[in-house]
Amino acid sequence: MGGAVSAGEDNDDLIDNLKEAQYIRTDRVEQAFRAIDRGDYYLEGYRDNAYKDLAWKHGNIHLSAPCIYSEVMEALKLQQGLSFLNLGSGTGYLSTMVGLIIGPFGVNHGVELHKDVVEYAKERLDDFIKNSDSFDRFEFCEPHFVVGNCLEISSDSHQYERIYCGAGVQKDHENYMKILLKVGGILVMPIEDQLTQITRTGQSSWESKNILAVSFAPLVQQNRTEGCKTEAVVLPALSVRNLQDLARIYIRRTLRNLTNDENPGRNNMQRSSQKRKRRRCRRRRRINTYVFVGNQLIPQPMDSEEDECIEEESKEEEQEKDIEPIKPEEPQVNHLRDKILSLPLPESLKSYLLYYREK
């Protein structure tokens, strides 16, 4: 599944394509996608395909196509403080993006069938926390992953406000998934080759909406062989943050707001907008028209009106270049980190505020 948009040269280029094709429609989702480089979740030697709109699988490790993830993120209607459950959490790519939106007072849990994939997801998460500057630009809800079959979740489990299932759900398992959802919550999952958004409007009432035609591998069924009793999957407990952790969150928030005021317009959104404008112009030049002559389909050159439109846009771009030459991009600076390191505090406290990140 995938191939709905053009391949990108890098992560920003991929997001430009998804936004232009209207798969990404909100600023919040766009920022999360730009903050997490999809290529970081590929194995070495396979990253050449990371920015194509295609699914990828190697052994038990799997990533859905970017267009699928963007539709899921939009359909979940994420907000700060929500609880999220990812059934079939895989590499943790989606869960990490969700964590950037729901923030430190949300809940971010994932269930994955394969132990080796959970270990891989934890490695990717640890790398993000330790090495990515995006960790300092957002308030983050760290995902917690458990190994198990998502069809074996304990019956006394707590409910969630947002749920995504990353495998095909058979019709007889639909109600099982719905039970995990709080009233007012949203469940997104593939049912009968349709990515479906289900909203729980009451204790026994639901609203469903088909989002996109998809093709997903089905959920792995429970093991019912004789003499083999499967253990119920116990989801992580809902815990309250301690006072020390709360202090770190609010200190970092205060310092982040301060550095944002001191360094306005320090993101890369303007650069991305310029790339999208150039891409649209190039695509317009490739448009051909066709007419039927008898039983044959004959290509015709572009009409003069389209040619004039392109010439005008080209002139505008040339004028913009004459007025203000495009400056090379400056390397991004982690202003929050610099601010913390400049404070007159003991080194141990600085390290704590930085989550012991070395970079």
Side-chain angles (χ1 to χ4, degrees), residues 5 24 28-29 35 81 98 106 167 230 272 279 294 296 304 329 333 358:
V5 300
I24 293 178
R28 184 173 293 178
V29 170
V98 169
T230 57
S272 301
R279 182 181 298 108
Q296 294 184 337
S304 59
E329 290 184 23
V333 177
E358 296 180 358

Side-chain angles (χ1 to χ4, degrees), residues 14 60 70 83 112 130 136 149 167 186 191 204 216 244 248:
L14 172 63
N60 292 326
S70 54
S83 56
E112 169 57 44
K130 288 183 177 179
D136 284 333
N149 190 317
I186 296 175
I191 306 176
S204 56
F216 277 68
Q244 187 178 29
R248 175 166 59 179

